[in-house]
Amino acid sequence: QVQLVESGGGLVQAGGSLRLSCAASVSIASFKAMGWYRQAPGKQRELVAGITTGVSTNYADSVKGRVTISRDNAGNTVYLQMNSLKPEDTAVYYCRADRYYPTREYWGQGTQVTVSS
């Protein structure tokens, strides 16, 4: 069983910062990619940032320049550092991991981020 546990969410004022953590129960090197997604009420879940085993990263245009995804293989943890937060960043943030063989995706339970104006 693979478990992903997100933490670090909370209430922050606009312009503030948060660091989200995604702790995996297995080596994150076993995943071809990991990423952070977010979902606001009534909206589709969208990719915020992703990172591959090869350390390639990608970011949504809406967060580029304000967000950094990183991973700590030894700690089996992926981080999302978010700066200059805006009210539009308010959402539940989910961690995702994709396994090579057999192909399978895993999701965490989510952590709430609320940005006040």
Side-chain angles (χ1 to χ4, degrees), residues 23-47:
S25 62
V26 298
S27 172
I28 61 175
S30 65
F31 302 118
K32 68 177 182 180
M34 298 189 72
W36 286 95
Y37 290 71
R38 67 186 182 188
Q39 187 169 27
K43 295 186 176 181
Q44 293 286 113
R45 190 171 297 186
E46 64 177 356
L47 174 69

Side-chain angles (χ1 to χ4, degrees), residues 91-104:
V92 177
Y93 284 70
Y94 297 91
C95 181
R96 172 179 169 173
D98 294 306
R99 188 178 68 185
Y100 278 108
Y101 302 107
T103 300
R104 187 172 178 176

